[in-house]
Amino acid sequence: MNRLHLAFLFTIISPALFAQSGSEEDIFNVISQRVVSDHSNLSVQILEKEITYYLSIILIDGSFSDINYGDKSRPNWEPQSHLLRVNRFVFGYIREYSPFYKDSTLYRQIVKSLEFWNTRSPVSDNWWWQRVSTPQNLGIIMLAMRNGEQQLPKELEDSLLQWMVKHSGDPSEKGGTNEGANKMDIATHWIYRGLLTRNETVLAKGIDQAFHPIHITTGTGFQEDWSYHQHGPQLYIGGYGKVMLLGAVNIAKYLYGTPYALSKEKIEILRNFTLETFLPCTRGKLFLFNVLGRSIARHNGLNQQASIPMLQDMKKIDPEYADEYEKGIQRISGKQPANYQIIPKHTHYWRSDYTLHQRPDYTVDVRFATVGMRRSEIVNNENLLGYFLVDGGMCIAKTGNEYENIFPVWDWTAIPGTTAPQLTPENIPRFTNKKPNGSATFAGGVSDGAYGVTCYFQNDYTYKQTRIEAKKSWFFFDDEIVCLGTGIKSKSKIKSNVRTTLNQCLLNGDIEIGCQGKTVQITMDGMHSFTDSIDYVLHDEVGYFFPTPLPCVVNRETRTGNWNHISPVDKNETKDVFSLWIDHGKKVKNADYQYIIIPNMQGKDATDNPLDDILILANNSKIQAVYHRKLDILGIVFYEAGTFKHNGLIELTVDKPAILIIRDAIKKQTLN
C-alpha cells in the first residue's frame, strides 16, 4: 500500500504540515473528525428506524418512558441506553444521508434529552459507568454536534464538560481501577475532552495515559510471553485483553500521521499480541472459552466478529504485516474456513498457566492455575459457576462453533478436561469478595514451538466441596493428544461422584461407540454407561480412544437453561449437548485414566486403530511418560526427583520435579 492510499484512508496530515500551518487547531480538527467519522457507521435504514421509535417514546422533559432512571444495577445499567439513544439522534441530525439531517425538531429533542441527563445525573453502583461509559458517550455526542447545523447551547456543553471533569477520574492515578484496559478507557475520554476544549495539556495527557499500558509488564497488561493479565495475575486474553487491544488500535488510528502517533515500539507490541496470541486463541469466528475470564458468561461472548474493524485498522497502521491481519479477517468473517492459512504451532504461556496447541485441522488449549495465578473471577455476578475452569479446562475446536452459547446449559462440574466432583450448582464454590489463587505447587509446560507437554498437579483443598487430588498431563502431537491422570483422590466432605470429563459440547450428528470390536450408533437421547469394555467414542469427527478399558458415560440430550444461572441476563437457551466422561465413583482413593484424543478423524476409520504410533510408557504418581514412534518424540513428567528407565533403552535422571520433551534421540524401531 503506497502513501497516497494511506492518505486517503486516514486523511493524513504530516507533522511537517502541522508545523507549517502554525495552528494547533489543525490537529484538534483532524483528530476530532476521525473520532466522529469512526462512530457514524450505521446504515440509513437502521438510523431512521431507531430514531423514529425513540421519538415516539421520548417525554416532554427529555426522558424516555421505558427507562428506569433510578436503576443502580452493576452489569446492565438501564440509564446507559439514554445516551445511546441521544447518540442516534445526533448522528441522524448531522449526517447528510439521514432523513433527519438538519431537522430542527430532532435538534430540540437532542438538547432536551441532554438537559434532562445533565439535571438527573443517574448513578450506578458500578464505578465503570460513571468513569468510563458515560464520559465517553458524552464526549462523542459533543464532538459530533460540533458538525451540526446548530451547535449545542454553550451553557449546556460547558456543564457537561464540567460533569466529565468532576466524575470521570484521572487516568494517571496509580492502583485501584486505573490499570491496563481500564486506564486506557478513562484516558480515552480525556482525549475527547482535550479535543472539545482545544486544550493541548489535557489532550497530551489523555494520549500519554491511553498508550502507557502498551508495554511489557509483570503486573496488569501485556506479559513477556504475549499473554495478558487484568485484575491481578489472571489470564485475560479475551475480555480485558480484547478491550485493551481494540481501544489502543482505535486511538492509534485517530492519531496516525500526527505528532501524537503511536511509536513503532508500541505498534510492535500490539502486533505481537495480535498475531502471537489474540488470533491464535480464535477458531473461526469464536474465541476459545478458556481465555475469556468472566466474559464467558455473556451471551455471544465468544464471538470475535467485532474485532474485524480492529484488524482492518492494524493493516493500516502496520502495513508491513497487512497480509497476516487479513488472514485473521478472512477466518473470523467466515469468508474462509477456520483452517485457512493456519500454521502448526505449540505455545505454553508460562506467565499465565495456559497452553495453546494449534494445527490446521483443529485448535486445543488447556488452562490451570498455580499458586501464583488467580482462579477465574466472579465480578458483577458474571461467571457464577466458573470455579472449575482453571482445573485443566480443555477446549477442543475444529470449526470453532463447538461451544457457541452453550454455557447456560453446561454442567459446570463437567467442564472439558477437568477432574471434579459432580455437584449441584448451589454447591459449586463462589467467591465474590475475594479472588483466590490456584493451589498447584507443581504445574507448567514445555514446548519446542511445534510440540509440547503440559502437567497440572491438582490439589485444591480450599473448600469442602472441592477437595480433589490428581496428577494430570497432556502430550501434544500432530494428530493425537494423549491425556493421562493418576493418583486421583477425593477428600471432599460432600460425597459425590468424581469424574474426568473428556468433552461437553454442542451435539453435531450421531455418536459412534466402539466396544470389543463392534460399533454401535447412538442416535437416541439419553445417558449410556459402559462399565469396562469401551474402546473409543466418535462424535463430530473427534475420536476419543481408551488404550485400557474405563467406566465411561456417553450422554446426548436436549437441554434448556437460562443465562441468569451464570450472569444477570434473563434469557433462555435450548441446546443439543454431547457429553463424555470417565466415572471414578464416590470414594476415590487412587484412580487413574489414560485416553487419547484425535481431533480430526475425517477420513479415518476408528476400527483400524489409528494409535499405532503412541506408546504410554508410564502413568504413576512419580512419572508420566509418552513416546511417539513416528515423530520420535519422548515426553516425560517427573513429579519428584528420580530416574525413568524403559527396557534398558532409556535412562533419565532428574534431581527435582521436571517436564521434558526429547526429540530425535531414540531409535524408534527399538522402543516398544
Side-chain angles (χ1 to χ4, degrees), residues 257-291:
T258 77
Y260 297 110
L262 186 62
S263 69
K264 291 182 179 179
E265 292 76 15
K266 290 184 181 290
I267 290 175
E268 183 178 2
I269 291 174
L270 296 181
R271 174 201 308 147
N272 285 335
F273 179 68
T274 303
L275 299 182
E276 299 295 329
T277 301
F278 191 78
L279 285 177
C281 289
T282 304
R283 188 77 187 180
K285 68 177 182 179
L286 301 181
F287 261 134
L288 306 181
F289 64 73
N290 267 323
V291 301

Side-chain angles (χ1 to χ4, degrees), residues 26 53 178 190 236 249 324 433 438 473 483 510 512 552 578 585 589:
D26 288 335
Y53 173 69
N178 283 15
W190 272 63
Y236 250 122
V249 173
E324 297 304 312
N433 296 321
S473 61
C483 307
D510 293 338
E512 179 179 308
C552 292
F578 161 78
K589 293 186 177 179

Side-chain angles (χ1 to χ4, degrees), residues 385 388 411 413 421-430 494 496:
L385 301 179
F388 294 111
D411 179 343
T413 63
Q422 191 171 353
L423 304 175
T424 59
E426 50 272 18
N427 281 325
I428 295 176
R430 302 183 184 188
I494 297 178
S496 56

Side-chain angles (χ1 to χ4, degrees), residues 157-201:
E157 187 180 88
D158 287 346
S159 182
L160 292 172
L161 284 168
Q162 289 170 13
W163 187 98
M164 291 175 70
V165 173
K166 180 179 179 181
H167 294 281
S168 56
D170 185 340
S172 64
E173 292 177 356
K174 294 183 179 180
T177 57
N178 283 15
E179 295 184 335
N182 290 333
K183 176 189 282 287
M184 183 205 63
D185 273 342
I186 296 169
T188 297
H189 56 73
W190 272 63
I191 294 173
Y192 296 162
R193 183 158 56 87
L195 295 171
L196 286 162
T197 58
R198 302 282 199 238
N199 188 317
E200 184 180 3
T201 301

Side-chain angles (χ1 to χ4, degrees), residues 2 90 111 182 238 249 300 343 352 360 383 438 448 453 475 493 523 617 624 633:
N2 58 40
V90 168
V111 173
N182 290 333
V249 173
N300 287 330
I343 297 174
S352 298
N383 192 34
D448 64 0
V453 180
F475 300 78
K493 292 186 178 180
T523 59
L617 304 181
Q624 291 171 319
I633 294 176

Side-chain angles (χ1 to χ4, degrees), residues 282-286 304 328 331-333 337-339 398-401:
T282 304
R283 188 77 187 180
K285 68 177 182 179
L286 301 181
Q304 265 280 57
R331 293 192 296 268
I332 295 172
S333 67
N339 63 359
K398 291 177 80 276
T399 64
N401 302 328

Side-chain angles (χ1 to χ4, degrees), residues 5 29 38 103-104 144 164 177 235 273 285 288 309 403 424 431 445 480 560 583 607-608 614 640:
H5 290 155
N29 276 334
D38 194 46
D103 186 286
S104 59
M164 291 175 70
T177 57
L235 179 68
F273 179 68
K285 68 177 182 179
L288 306 181
Y403 307 92
T424 59
F431 44 91
E480 313 92 350
T560 297
D583 188 354
T607 62
D608 287 342
I614 299 295
E640 58 186 58

